[in-house]
Amino acid sequence: MPGLTKSRRRFAALTTLGALVAAAAPALVTPAAAAPAAETARTAQTAEVAEAAPLRVLFDNSKAETAGNADWIIGTGQPDPLTQDATPTVETDWTGAISAWGVALQKTGRYSLKTLPSGGTITYGTTAATDLQNFDTFVLPEPNVRLGASEKTAVMRFVQNGGGLFLVSDHTGADRNNDGWDAVEVINDLMSDNGVDNTDPFGFTVDTGTVQTDNPRAIADASDPVLNGSFGKVTGSIIRSGTTVTLKPADNPAVKGLVYRTGHSGTTGAFFATSTFGSGRVAVWGDSSPVDDGTGQSGNTLYDGWNDSAGTNAALALNATDWLSGATTGGGGGGGTCTAGQLLANPGFESGNASWTATSGVITDDSGRPARTGSYKAWLNGYGSAHTDTLAQTVTIPAGCTTASLVFHTRIDTAETTTTTAYDTLKVQVLGSGGSVLSTLATYSNLDASSGYVQRSFSLAAYAGQTVTLKFTGTEGSRLQTSFVIDDTSLTVG
């Protein structure tokens, strides 16, 4: 029916399919009526599972972490350290220079630890047991082999989709396997040539050089969860031949220096820093000496930095692991302030297209579908033919905010009669400044049809300090209409 307005095309499609809609109505009404109870039950089950689920950490040993005099493993039992000792109580129950780190996590009863063995490959989205998709945090303790192209992409996708990345560097020239790559180069290469975001995605660069000895001090921030976590208060750390990092908040406002070399502050001389990328978190430490517990495999000369009284290294390592794994919230911000409030402009669409970018006709007061409140809403699809609609708004979430709650209401109705196939979909995504997808928050379909509006909510706290675009994309198949109607949006921070 060319030449008809969007409203009239929708009306014509619905009229033509009226009989089908009427026939499908009983099937649509019954599940919709049962949906709240079913959704409540699923939510309760999910909460119970989440409460019981351990925090999963993968330590890398695929990048020559035991070459030369290094021994950066939590134990010789690999991939499962429990095969060496299932009930470790002291660091020597597992054999490795960072066994104290692993044993301390294991003893909490909250963690499940694994090691990616020598010869392994870093992957994301495969069926491998050590695939990053199966973990909350990935630890790269002084890697001495350059990551392959697919490995770098895997790490970045892992972080982008909510994973925690713990990077431990060392001084320039610590090429323990003599392959031409030291930890400084390996980490900087990951951030500059990864196939996902090569524009300084974490907002820091590891400095080229060597700091022989120093006792860096922590900043004063009583609210930071890494400095004030369940494993104790962090007052400082140690450098025993290491390096620092340079912060670049212009590239990523979320970057934050927590511990600084003597005489330094701001963007230079940071010895321990945190940041975020996509939905995930990142921590970087400029030296491996602080996590060295002085024990390990025979023949290695090691240094007990873990228990060095000049720093609170154990608390720093363990609190950071908690934060990266999602056990604690907050942190990772650029130290900015947060004014509590609602950030989205024209949240109920009553000002028409103002502040939103949308496909023609999406924001409408068309009476064919009621608004939840007021007169206007966003009506995506509903044609009964192949069609894509979009709705988007760009917003900056202040760096100091620890909460950011996205709420919107959807009404989905459909002429589809299937109860198993998603023919028509609505994706809710968060995009980065370059248009890359940082996260797909949800995908709804004709299978989610409801008799009225349903409230949806998501946390965007991981994007504090970033400018992101909230985007809805509705895609409709070649026949039988599905309408995705959105109203009363909000993004409340605090």
Side-chain angles (χ1 to χ4, degrees):
M1 288 168 279
L4 296 180
T5 65
K6 185 172 187 179
S7 173
R8 289 175 57 81
R9 285 165 54 198
R10 276 187 171 144
F11 178 78
L14 291 171
T15 301
T16 303
L17 296 168
L20 283 174
V21 175
L28 294 175
V29 171
T30 303
E39 187 170 343
T40 300
R42 285 196 300 270
T43 301
Q45 288 177 335
T46 301
E48 291 175 2
V49 171
E51 185 177 358
L55 302 170
R56 305 158 300 171
V57 180
L58 179 67
F59 287 82
D60 187 67
N61 186 33
S62 70
K63 299 294 173 278
E65 279 91 350
T66 61
N69 215 33
D71 200 30
W72 312 126
I73 56 174
I74 59 172
T76 53
Q78 299 180 13
D80 188 353
L82 296 179
T83 58
Q84 182 178 10
D85 190 321
T87 57
T89 58
V90 295
E91 62 192 46
T92 52
D93 288 337
W94 288 352
T95 306
I98 58 173
S99 61
W101 189 353
V103 170
L105 294 175
Q106 183 68 32
K107 286 169 64 177
T108 67
R110 297 186 291 116
Y111 278 88
S112 172
L113 310 177
K114 294 292 186 292
T115 296
L116 180 61
S118 175
T121 300
I122 302 168
T123 62
Y124 181 75
T126 72
T127 59
T130 54
D131 188 274
L132 292 180
Q133 198 166 234
N134 300 322
F135 296 90
D136 300 299
T137 293
F138 181 46
V139 182
L140 268 172
E142 197 187 328
N144 256 247
V145 174
R146 183 189 188 192
L147 277 64
S150 65
E151 292 183 307
K152 288 182 284 189
T153 298
V155 170
M156 297 301 293
R157 291 295 186 202
F158 167 67
V159 179
Q160 189 177 55
N161 292 319
L165 176 63
F166 205 141
L167 301 168
V168 181
S169 186
D170 200 7
H171 61 89
T172 295
D175 179 8
R176 303 181 188 279
N177 62 338
N178 299 311
D179 70 340
W181 289 84
D182 58 31
V184 174
E185 296 166 319
V186 171
I187 294 172
N188 284 338
D189 178 69
L190 166 65
M191 298 183 294
S192 62
D193 183 20
N194 55 61
V196 176
D197 187 336
N198 300 327
T199 58
D200 190 24
F202 305 148
F204 62 79
T205 302
V206 183
D207 297 330
T208 300
T210 300
V211 179
Q212 291 295 346
T213 302
D214 191 40
N215 297 327
R217 297 297 89 189
I219 64 171
D221 187 345
S223 66
D224 190 276
V226 176
L227 299 179
N228 305 275
S230 61
F231 291 97
K233 182 175 180 59
V234 174
T235 58
S237 187
I238 63 169
I239 303 178
R240 303 295 184 260
S241 289
T243 190
T244 53
V245 299
T246 296
L247 310 184
K248 301 179 181 178
D251 294 338
N252 186 336
V255 72
K256 179 180 181 181
L258 300 186
V259 179
Y260 282 86
R261 180 185 175 190
T262 302
H264 290 75
S265 63
T267 59
T268 63
F271 182 56
F272 192 103
T274 58
S275 188
T276 63
F277 176 66
S279 300
R281 299 171 172 180
V282 182
V284 60
W285 212 333
D287 189 8
S288 52
S289 295
V291 294
D292 188 342
D293 60 27
T295 70
Q297 299 174 89
S298 177
N300 290 325
T301 302
L302 301 168
Y303 170 79
D304 189 2
W306 187 261
N307 297 302
D308 192 317
S309 60
T312 46
N313 301 308
L316 184 51
L318 298 170
N319 286 346
T321 307
D322 255 4
W323 177 72
L324 290 168
S325 302
T328 56
T329 58
T337 59
C338 180
T339 301
Q342 198 286 114
L343 301 182
L344 292 180
N346 188 22
F349 308 106
E350 296 306 310
S351 298
N353 287 298
S355 303
W356 293 93
T357 300
T359 308
S360 177
V362 163
I363 297 177
T364 178
D365 62 351
D366 190 318
S367 60
R369 292 295 182 278
R372 180 175 178 270
T373 60
S375 301
Y376 282 81
K377 67 279 172 179
W379 180 359
L380 289 80
N381 306 113
Y383 289 95
S385 59
H387 187 82
T388 297
D389 278 328
T390 60
L391 172 72
Q393 184 174 146
T394 299
V395 61
T396 299
I397 304 175
C401 295
T402 58
T403 61
S405 177
L406 170 66
V407 174
F408 57 91
H409 297 76
T410 63
R411 171 178 167 164
I412 303 172
D413 65 79
T414 185
E416 301 284 0
T417 58
T418 178
T419 59
T420 58
T421 304
Y423 289 116
D424 312 312
T425 61
L426 174 70
K427 286 187 177 181
V428 186
Q429 297 175 311
V430 178
L431 308 184
S433 57
S436 61
V437 177
L438 302 181
S439 176
T440 297
L441 301 177
T443 300
Y444 305 108
S445 73
N446 48 280
L447 301 178
D448 298 299
S450 58
S451 58
Y453 280 92
V454 177
Q455 179 175 302
R456 317 287 186 178
S457 60
F458 302 89
S459 173
L460 301 188
Y463 305 103
Q466 298 185 50
T467 297
V468 298
T469 298
L470 173 65
K471 184 176 183 180
F472 300 85
T473 302
T475 304
E476 194 171 14
S478 60
R479 57 187 298 272
L480 299 181
Q481 77 86 27
T482 298
S483 292
F484 301 102
V485 187
I486 301 165
D487 202 0
D488 296 332
T489 69
S490 65
L491 177 54
T492 305
V493 299

